[in-house]
Amino acid sequence: MRSSAHHKEIHAPQSLMLRRYFSALAVVLKSNNESPWTNEFDKIELSCLIESISTTNPRIEWKKITNEGPSYVYFDGKISGDLENRAMIREPATLLITNATRSDTAKYRCEVTASEDQKSVDEVVIDLVVRVKPVVPKCSVPKSVPFGKSAELSCVEEEGFPKSQYQWFKNREEIPDDPKSSLKFFNSSYTLNADSGTLKFIAVRKEDAGEYSCRAKNDAGYSECPPQKMEVYDIDVVGIILGVLVVVMVLVCMTAGICCAYKRGYFSGQKPTGNNYKVPAKGDGVDYVRTEDEGDFRHKSSFVI
Ligand SMILES: *[C@@H]1O[C@H](CO)[C@@H](O)[C@H](O)[C@H]1NC(C)=O
Ligand SMILES: *[C@@H]1O[C@H](CO)[C@@H](O)[C@H](O)[C@H]1NC(C)=O
């Protein structure tokens, strides 16, 4: 076999011969998945395969590349850093993470150094994504909204990775992105933002009342908040309440008016007596004191002093 292959090469163009010669003395890596993903707490394989090598005992290293720079994951035959106890190497150079966490999302570089090869270094970069299932979103639904007014419902979830997308449900039925796309919601004035989780009504209708719930979802799964009731109060009820308020206010004004009138009348009736007490001058007072009895004297003196 080998001699016949060699025989063929003699007749091949020289460049091809050279390439084959060097590749025989080069370390070449490959991966069967350069962008793997897994869900949090699952296992994942970062594949690093040696396609060609001549060195018998190559140096194998793994580095994690984050914004802060590269750090060792596998060095000198040992798993290090925060993957310690959660990862192992599978021959020849594949890194196996047994319990992935969200902080493992990063690029990883497999580097193989083969000192006896002509081309003695090769590397392969693996882009790992650890997906995180959304937690129960925080939902805010106004309890009651006046007919014809605007309303905003919000839904927020921040654990999920990749970032959550949102769906809203009314009475357990999914609300379409565009109300015009459904007969049921055709006349509703809402806009739904699946990226931010807000459901905004420009003017609520009676038909918009119901139980609203929201779902945060991503590739790893979904979570929902429990349904919350939104009531729309009738414009007639508002009218009735306003009417009652007006009647009450009119009554209050009338009562106040009657009171005032009555008080004024009361004071004018008492005026003469009041004047009688205040009018007396010093000389007169003295006269009174002398001529009148004890009770009147006390009155007068208190005013004089
Ligand atoms: C993975 O790690 C999490 C937290 O670090 C732990 O709760 C869970 O039990 C682990 N799962 C396995 C299969 O070891
Ligand atoms: C929407 O409004 C139009 C006009 O007011 C009405 O004819 C139609 O029946 C309404 N559709 C629904 C589904 O309520």
Side-chain angles (χ1 to χ4, degrees):
M1 278 286 287
R2 186 170 277 183
S3 64
S4 75
H6 187 73
H7 186 72
K8 265 186 189 165
E9 267 176 19
I10 289 169
H11 301 286
Q14 207 172 10
S15 63
L16 185 62
M17 275 172 63
L18 281 174
R19 214 186 310 150
R20 287 200 179 161
Y21 170 75
F22 280 115
S23 78
L25 289 176
V27 55
V28 178
L29 303 182
K30 70 163 189 178
S31 174
N32 53 28
N33 190 356
E34 289 183 11
S35 38
W37 62 266
T38 185
N39 290 343
E40 195 170 32
F41 310 128
D42 277 354
K43 60 181 189 301
I44 183 68
E45 176 184 295
L46 277 56
S47 143
C48 179
L49 305 172
I50 300 175
E51 202 173 43
S52 125
I53 198 161
S54 303
T55 306
T56 46
N57 210 353
R59 190 173 78 210
I60 296 165
E61 290 172 4
W62 275 94
K63 285 175 188 147
K64 179 179 183 177
I65 303 151
T66 59
N67 290 335
E68 290 107 60
S71 60
Y72 276 111
V73 165
Y74 180 72
F75 175 75
D76 204 14
K78 284 193 288 284
I79 304 282
S80 61
D82 107 282
L83 275 178
E84 220 175 340
N85 306 322
R86 287 197 294 126
M88 61 185 90
I89 290 289
R90 188 167 69 199
E91 291 290 315
T94 291
L95 182 68
L96 219 61
I97 299 177
T98 52
N99 187 357
T101 71
R102 57 190 71 189
S103 60
D104 294 339
T105 293
K107 286 190 163 66
Y108 293 82
R109 195 164 64 214
C110 171
E111 300 172 4
V112 175
T113 309
S115 53
E116 290 154 30
D117 286 78
Q118 292 261 320
K119 180 184 168 293
S120 61
V121 179
D122 198 15
E123 60 184 43
V124 53
V125 175
I126 310 288
D127 196 354
L128 173 66
V129 172
V130 179
R131 296 173 177 176
V132 181
K133 184 179 177 271
V135 295
V136 173
K138 288 192 180 72
C139 297
S140 141
V141 176
K143 280 198 168 53
S144 61
V145 184
F147 175 89
K149 296 289 179 202
S150 64
E152 185 170 323
L153 286 69
S154 70
C155 179
V156 182
E157 190 284 324
E158 279 169 345
E159 299 292 311
F161 186 85
K163 203 179 167 313
S164 286
Q165 291 280 302
Y166 301 93
Q167 285 171 294
W168 274 98
F169 297 82
K170 182 190 165 197
N171 302 331
R172 305 270 170 196
E173 187 184 337
E174 188 180 352
I175 299 174
D177 283 352
D178 177 11
K180 297 288 177 238
S181 71
S182 139
L183 252 186
K184 208 165 201 169
F185 294 94
F186 193 82
N187 287 341
S188 191
S189 65
Y190 71 79
T191 52
L192 175 57
N193 187 330
D195 294 323
S196 68
T198 48
L199 174 63
K200 266 188 201 160
F201 292 89
I202 294 161
V204 295
R205 307 167 308 147
K206 274 201 237 170
E207 294 85 347
D208 293 323
E211 294 211 311
Y212 286 85
S213 61
C214 168
R215 174 184 291 176
K217 57 165 185 176
N218 67 11
D219 299 329
Y222 67 85
S223 288
E224 295 175 353
C225 64
Q228 294 173 48
K229 196 178 245 172
M230 180 174 89
E231 280 172 353
V232 176
Y233 44 96
D234 206 328
I235 197 77
D236 293 344
V237 169
V238 176
I240 288 165
I241 290 172
L242 279 179
V244 167
L245 277 179
V246 166
V247 167
V248 165
M249 272 167 73
V250 165
L251 281 177
V252 164
C253 284
M254 279 171 70
T255 313
I258 287 166
C259 258
C260 279
Y262 176 69
K263 269 189 183 167
R264 233 180 268 133
Y266 175 80
F267 276 125
S268 63
Q270 293 294 318
K271 243 176 194 170
T273 13
N275 278 351
N276 261 6
Y277 277 100
K278 276 181 185 171
V279 159
K282 261 187 184 170
D284 281 342
V286 173
D287 281 350
Y288 256 165
V289 167
R290 280 179 188 162
T291 52
E292 296 290 335
D293 60 32
E294 286 274 303
D296 252 329
F297 167 73
R298 274 178 199 142
H299 257 129
K300 291 291 165 280
S301 60
S302 71
F303 270 100
V304 169
I305 293 157

